[in-house]
Amino acid sequence: MSIQTLHEISEALETKKISSEELVTESLRVIEEKNPNLHAFIEVFDDATAQAREIDRRRRKGEALHPLAGIPIALKDNILVQGKIASAGSRMLQNYRAPYDATVTSRLKEADLVIVGRTNMDEFAMGSSTENSYFGPTKNPWDDARVPGGSSGGSAAAVASGMVPLALGSDTGGSVRQPASLCGISGLKPTYGRVSRSGLMALASSLDQISPCARSVEDLAWLMQVIEGQDPLDATTAILESTSVPSLIPQNVKGLRLGVPKEYFVEGMDEEVKRKVMEAIGKLEQAGAEILEVTLPHTPYALAAYYLIMPAEASSNLGRYDGLRYGYASQDQTLVGSYEQSRSEGFGAEVKRRIMLGTFALSAGYYDAYYKKATQVRAKITQDFDEVWKRVDAVVCPTSPCVAWKLGEKMEDPLAMYLSDIYTLSANLATIPALSVPCGFAHDLPVGLQFMTRRFNEDLLYRLGMTYQSLTDWHRQMPGVIL
Ligand code: GLN
C-alpha cells in the first residue's frame, strides 16, 4: 500500500477503495511483526477489529462519518480508556482499570477513530528514553540497539515503524517532541490549555499537555481538530476558536521572521545535529523567511527550574498512590508499613528519586530557596519569550542536542538524561506551543527541528511545518512498512 497522508487514507475510506477493517488488520499485522522486538505497545486491544467492522457497516449504510472515522490510533499508557488497563508504565498501576474515558478518548471515540492499544512509556512519564518503564524498554525503529527517546517512546516508535499512522502521548518537558525527534516523526506540544487534561494521569499539572504524534504536520493538524477545545472537566482549557483545518493553512513562509536563539547552540551539542539544523534553517531562508539571531537569556536556568517544579508537582500528584485507594498494595498489614511498602515496591527508582527531590523542594525552610525561586525563574523564561515575540514570529532551533543514544548508556547518569531535555522544557515552562519535525540524519539517525511561537498560535506552527515538509521529504523516510 502506498497510502501516505491521513487525507489520502480518509479519501480511500470514503470512496471505499479500502475498508477500516483492512486498515486495522494491516496495523495489527505490523504490530505483530515488529512489536516483539520494538516493544512499542504494552497491550493491543482485542476489540479493535470488531470496531472497524462496525464502522465499515455504518459507512456502507451511507451514514455520514467523521473524515478520520475508521483510522487506527494508539494511546500512551497514561491516557484513560474506560474499562482498559492504564498503568502509566508502572508496577503501581499494573492492574488498574480506567473507570472512565479521558476527554481526548471520548472525542476520538465520537469521531470513530479505532484505538488499537496502549503504548509503552517511562514510568509516570518520568524519563527521556522509555527505559524507566516497569514493562521493559522500547527500542528505536531505526536502530534497535538504541532508545526511542521518552517518555512517550512507545507512541513515537509505533508511528515511526508504521504500526499506526497516529498516536497520542503527553508532553510535560518534551516527552512527545524529543521521541518524535529521535524516531524521525512529527510531534506537537500544544499550548497549555488547548487540549483537556481530564483523564490524563497527572505528572506536573502546570506543565502537562496531551500531545499528538504523526507522520506529517498536516496529519498532526487533522488529529488536533478532533482532540482540542474547551472542556468543562478541565478548568484550565481555554475557550477558543479551533485551529485551522490543514487545507486552509498557507504553505509559504515568505516574510515570516524566525528567531534563532543564540543560547541554543551551545557547547556539548552534537556538531552533526547542529549542521542539519542549520541546513534546515537555510532552507527556510531560501523559501523567503527572514532569519534573525535572538536571545533567551534565562535559558541556562531552565533545566534547573524545570527539575524543581516538575518533581515538586509530581511528588504531590503521586501522593494518591498509597496502597489503599487503588493500585499496588503490599502484604504489610500495619498502617505505616503498608504505605511504606506499597510505595517502595510499587514505584521504580526514577519515580522515587523525583518524589524525594520534589518533597524536599517543597518542605518548610526550603520552599523559598528552591520551589519559589524556580517559579520566579519560570516567570523570567516566559518574559524572555514575550520579548522575542516583539522581534520575530517564531523561534526555530533543535529539538534535541543529540540523536538516539544506546540503550543503557545514560541509565546510571540521571543528569546526562535530564540534559537531553534542554531545548524542549522551556516551551512547557512558558506554556507556549512547540512543534518538532524531522530535518535529516546525523550518524544515520533522525534529527529534529523545533519551532515555537506565541500562546495559541498553533496555526503558525502548522504553516511553518507544512511549508518545510513541502520542501523536503525527511518526514517520508521511515523504517519499515508504511500503511
Ligand atoms: N524527560 C522529561 C522528564 O523526565 C520530560 C518528561 C515528560 O515530558 N513527561 O521530566
Side-chain angles (χ1 to χ4, degrees):
M1 250 182 293
S2 63
I3 293 171
Q4 297 244 332
T5 71
L6 275 192
H7 188 70
E8 285 162 345
I9 299 176
S10 170
E11 247 174 34
L13 282 165
E14 196 122 325
T15 54
K16 305 200 180 59
K17 287 203 183 84
I18 191 170
S19 69
S20 174
E21 185 178 352
E22 283 170 310
L23 275 178
V24 170
T25 305
E26 175 64 1
S27 164
L28 297 178
R29 187 194 65 74
V30 182
I31 296 172
E32 201 174 299
E33 179 191 321
K34 299 188 175 174
N35 203 53
N37 180 33
L38 296 179
H39 195 222
F41 281 84
I42 298 184
E43 185 189 349
V44 176
F45 298 149
D46 53 15
D47 47 1
T49 312
Q51 275 177 36
R53 254 182 233 136
E54 174 59 16
I55 294 162
D56 287 335
R57 193 188 62 76
R58 285 166 47 206
R59 196 186 298 279
R60 276 198 304 274
K61 263 181 29 194
E63 208 177 297
L65 297 175
H66 187 279
L68 302 191
I71 295 179
I73 184 167
L75 263 49
K76 187 175 181 177
D77 194 27
N78 60 353
I79 299 174
L80 305 191
V81 180
Q82 188 175 20
K84 306 284 189 201
I85 290 179
S87 78
S90 181
R91 181 182 194 193
M92 185 59 91
L93 295 174
Q94 191 175 8
N95 301 312
Y96 171 73
R97 266 183 207 280
Y100 61 94
D101 278 332
T103 296
V104 292
T105 308
S106 23
R107 290 185 180 172
L108 293 173
K109 285 180 175 174
E110 270 160 40
D112 287 306
L113 281 94
V114 180
I115 303 171
V116 295
R118 55 192 175 97
T119 54
N120 199 15
M121 58 183 281
D122 284 301
E123 184 176 7
F124 285 104
M126 296 179 191
S128 311
S129 68
T130 317
E131 291 165 295
N132 294 332
S133 169
Y134 175 66
F135 304 98
T138 296
K139 297 175 187 166
N140 191 309
W142 292 92
D143 177 350
D144 63 8
R146 289 175 188 269
V147 301
S151 64
S152 311
S155 289
V159 171
S161 61
M163 294 178 181
V164 276
L166 295 172
L168 290 182
S170 61
D171 190 315
T172 301
S175 273
V176 156
R177 286 162 289 152
Q178 186 258 19
S181 169
L182 270 47
C183 289
I185 60 160
S186 304
L188 172 76
K189 199 282 290 179
T191 310
Y192 184 82
R194 184 174 286 283
V195 179
S196 170
R197 288 175 298 114
S198 175
L200 168 69
M201 288 183 201
L203 171 54
S205 308
S206 77
L207 303 164
D208 299 340
Q209 200 59 191
I210 291 176
S211 301
C213 303
R215 297 189 297 229
S216 68
V217 177
E218 184 185 330
D219 288 3
L220 288 175
W222 283 115
L223 181 53
M224 283 296 290
Q225 298 285 309
V226 179
I227 62 169
E228 68 185 359
Q230 204 255 338
D231 175 19
L233 298 176
D234 174 1
T236 63
T237 49
I239 303 171
L240 298 162
E241 303 247 310
S242 61
T243 49
S244 298
V245 295
S247 44
L248 298 179
I249 305 270
Q251 291 204 26
N252 68 71
V253 291
K254 283 204 184 66
L256 289 179
R257 283 165 312 165
L258 301 181
V260 180
K262 63 172 189 225
E263 294 81 2
Y264 280 41
F265 292 86
V266 287
E267 228 178 286
M269 144 171 223
D270 185 305
E271 281 300 317
E272 282 279 292
V273 168
K274 180 172 169 183
R275 215 156 53 81
K276 284 292 146 190
V277 170
M278 295 315 288
E279 267 174 39
I281 294 173
K283 193 109 204 159
L284 292 160
E285 189 169 23
Q286 276 169 21
E290 192 186 335
I291 309 292
L292 300 165
E293 185 180 87
V294 292
T295 172
L296 293 166
H298 294 88
T299 300
Y301 312 107
L303 195 77
Y306 172 85
Y307 276 99
L308 281 164
I309 293 170
M310 198 283 305
E313 293 187 18
S315 72
S316 86
N317 273 327
L318 268 55
R320 71 192 69 174
Y321 304 109
D322 56 9
L324 294 178
R325 283 172 285 188
Y326 44 75
Y328 178 83
S330 88
Q331 297 302 315
D332 197 312
Q333 296 298 317
T334 64
L335 180 63
V336 174
S338 109
Y339 287 143
E340 280 177 2
Q341 286 313 311
S342 298
R343 288 170 71 82
S344 300
E345 293 160 20
F347 289 138
E350 182 62 24
V351 175
K352 286 178 193 161
R353 181 180 295 122
R354 297 211 193 183
I355 290 174
M356 285 191 279
L357 283 172
T359 307
F360 181 79
L362 289 175
S363 57
Y366 295 104
Y367 180 92
D368 284 353
Y370 293 110
Y371 181 73
K372 194 165 153 212
K373 201 87 198 156
T375 60
Q376 287 164 344
V377 172
R378 181 176 187 176
K380 291 279 180 205
I381 286 166
T382 309
Q383 279 168 17
D384 283 356
F385 281 105
D386 289 341
E387 281 304 310
V388 161
W389 306 144
K390 292 180 186 161
R391 291 191 59 216
V392 294
D393 301 295
V395 155
V396 57
C397 61
T399 308
S400 160
C402 56
V403 292
W405 58 90
K406 290 242 165 74
L407 285 155
E409 196 177 312
K410 297 188 181 174
M411 279 308 268
E412 300 308 319
D413 188 353
L415 198 58
M417 191 80 92
Y418 298 169
L419 277 169
S420 71
D421 305 328
I422 188 123
Y423 302 132
T424 48
L425 41 81
S426 289
N428 301 76
L429 290 169
T431 70
I432 57 174
L435 170 72
S436 180
V437 295
C439 71
F441 294 83
H443 318 287
D444 294 329
L445 292 160
V447 177
L449 179 73
Q450 182 175 220
F451 298 104
M452 298 186 253
T453 192
R454 287 182 181 84
R455 281 172 60 74
F456 299 115
N457 202 7
E458 277 81 349
D459 277 2
L460 181 65
L461 296 184
Y462 301 158
R463 178 173 168 191
L464 289 163
M466 284 170 66
T467 305
Y468 183 71
Q469 292 186 334
S470 72
L471 300 170
T472 57
D473 69 354
W474 303 118
H475 61 295
R476 275 190 257 276
Q477 305 200 15
M478 294 194 179
V481 184
I482 293 173
L483 278 180

